């Protein structure tokens, strides 16, 4: 029985890994064909959800003031959610910023803030904006971010994910792990874009056509509003695109408590999406099969399956110990050695892709495989012990990205 269970988990893990590798490989062999212009310049409403972000929000707002995009074609809206510090006062110092303060309603995360703020903006400004952009308050945008996003929209894109880069990669081991994680996503996203595979909408640094909100508005219900919004658009036949030149920087967690809380929230949110939308997903897939619908589940599936795979291996080792057999066979040692070497290769490529210093990132590269195991175990733990409460993470970095 143990052998059969392990084999099934290995097979699923192999198929998901094979799918990821094949799309990346095909993307590297494929060149994206140029697309014609289909629209004029975008008019952006940039939404920044903030709760007590006084120490860090200034660097984001200044980076948005410094955009090389026409200043008459964008406006920044800071949605100050139940703030007890000077976040609103700090934001009001910037010319392009309008502050909307929220002091009532539940504090259940960014989805609730967007559901509150977007209708207010639409009520006051009507159809002034063709596109909306979402940022977290701890971010910092590259000077050409809006120009790059506009390039995607004027060539037909309707949902675009920017290039997420680490703001503080060298703080400690945890920030290094996170940095390599997001840089790995970018390494995969670039070639996958060439074969029309969707990007992962990751909560911040993305934009979309405002017409996507017609009818129902912003109506997410899970604690991962970004992934849920992306899934809702998939059902309309809208899939996200990756824009490598839309670079922005995101502060990474630096404590175990913050890391565990955030990873549990991500995993719980993915399960909530599966529970809420699986019937609708099957209905759409049966009506119009699209491999991109399957692709959306691959990242989550890999985490959970690898977690169960690791646990089944621990059970297998325990079974062998009870039988008086060697804990690991030569094949086991070879297999786990290969996985570790793979983690070294992926980590190194991610660091190089992000133009970070290999020497400074060496602790993270050497231990990146253990972070993958930890992430997978969190995915399994969250199946049985979900975290449905949004817990804010304190941000401290007031300067630009570390070089």
């Amino acid at each position: 029985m143990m052998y059969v269970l392990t084999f099934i988990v290995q097979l699923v893990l192999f198929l998901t890994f094979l799918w990821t590798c094949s799309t990346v490989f095909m993307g590297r062999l494929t060149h994206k064909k140029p697309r014609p212009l289909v629209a004029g310049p975008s008019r952006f409403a940039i939404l920044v959800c903030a709760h007590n972000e006084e120490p860090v929000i200034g660097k984001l707002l200044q980076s948005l003031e410094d955009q090389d995009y026409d200043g008459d074609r964008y406006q920044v809206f800071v949605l100050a959610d139940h703030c007890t510090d000077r976040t609103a006062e700090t934001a009001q110092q910037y010319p392009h910023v309008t502050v909307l303060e929220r002091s009532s309603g539940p504090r259940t995360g960014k989805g609730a803030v967007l559901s509150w703020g977007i209708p207010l903006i639409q009520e006051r400004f009507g159809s002034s904006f063709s596109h909306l952009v979402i940022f977290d308050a701890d971010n910092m945008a590259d000077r050409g971010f809006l120009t790059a996003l506009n390039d995607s929209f004027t060539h037909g894109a309707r949902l675009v994910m920017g290039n997420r880069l680490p703001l503080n990669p060298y703080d400690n081991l945890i920030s290094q792990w996170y940095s390599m994680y997001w840089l790995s996503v970018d390494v995969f996203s670039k070639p996958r874009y060439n074969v029309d595979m969707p990007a992962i909408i990751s909560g911040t640094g993305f934009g979309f056509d405002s017409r996507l909100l017609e009818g129902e508005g912003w109506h997410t219900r899970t604690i991962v509003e970004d992934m849920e919004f992306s899934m809702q658009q998939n059902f309309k036949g809208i899939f996200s695109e990756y824009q490598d030149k839309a670079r922005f920087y995101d502060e990474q967690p630096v404590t175990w408590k913050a890391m565990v809380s955030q990873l549990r929230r991500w995993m719980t949110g993915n399960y909530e999406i599966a529970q809420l939308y699986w019937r609708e997903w099957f209905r759409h897939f049966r009506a119009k099969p699209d491999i991109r619908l399957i692709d959306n589940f691959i990242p989550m599936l890999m985490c959970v399956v690898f977690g169960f795979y690791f646990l089944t291996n621990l059970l297998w080792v325990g079974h062998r110990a009870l039988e008086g057999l060697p804990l690991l066979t030569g094949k086991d040692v070879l297999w786990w050695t290969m996985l570790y070497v793979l983690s070294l290769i992926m980590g190194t490529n991610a660091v190089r892709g992000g133009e970070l210093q290999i020497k400074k990132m060496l602790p993270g590269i050497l231990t990146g495989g253990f972070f993958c195991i930890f992430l997978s175990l969190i995915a399994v733990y969250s199946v049985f012990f979900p975290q449905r409460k949004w817990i804010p993470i304190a941000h401290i970095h007031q300067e630009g990205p570390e070089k």
Side-chain angles (χ1 to χ4, degrees), residues 45 47 77 79 100 114-132 208-219 229:
L47 280 58
F77 297 90
L79 308 183
L100 302 176
L114 293 173
S115 296
W116 165 83
I118 290 176
L120 286 180
I121 295 171
Q122 292 173 329
E123 179 182 339
R124 296 186 188 183
F125 294 86
S127 57
S128 301
F129 303 107
S130 62
H131 295 85
L132 277 68
F208 56 91
D209 188 331
S210 60
R211 290 172 295 181
L212 296 180
L213 298 180
E214 290 179 354
E216 298 179 316
W218 185 281
H219 61 289
F229 177 73

Side-chain angles (χ1 to χ4, degrees), residues 244-302:
D244 184 49
K245 295 180 180 179
R247 298 162 64 93
F248 71 100
Y249 300 89
D250 178 54
E251 183 175 335
Q252 308 305 313
V254 295
T255 67
W256 282 94
K257 182 179 180 180
M259 179 176 68
V260 171
S261 175
Q262 187 174 69
L263 294 180
R264 287 185 62 200
R265 180 176 64 83
W266 288 352
M267 297 305 163
T268 299
N270 280 319
Y271 302 148
E272 288 179 340
I273 291 175
Q275 291 171 353
L276 286 171
Y277 292 99
W278 71 269
R279 290 184 179 87
E280 189 173 357
W281 186 94
F282 272 110
R283 185 166 66 251
H284 280 86
F285 189 78
R286 289 182 61 184
K288 189 177 181 180
D290 192 324
I291 197 66
R292 292 174 295 182
L293 286 172
I294 297 177
D295 184 79
N296 278 342
F297 284 105
I298 295 299
M300 180 188 70
L301 188 61
M302 284 191 69

Side-chain angles (χ1 to χ4, degrees), residues 73-89:
R73 294 189 176 276
Y74 71 93
Q75 180 72 25
V76 180
F77 297 90
V78 172
L79 308 183
D81 180 36
H82 293 81
C83 292
T84 57
D85 63 357
R86 292 180 53 81
T87 296
E89 290 84 350

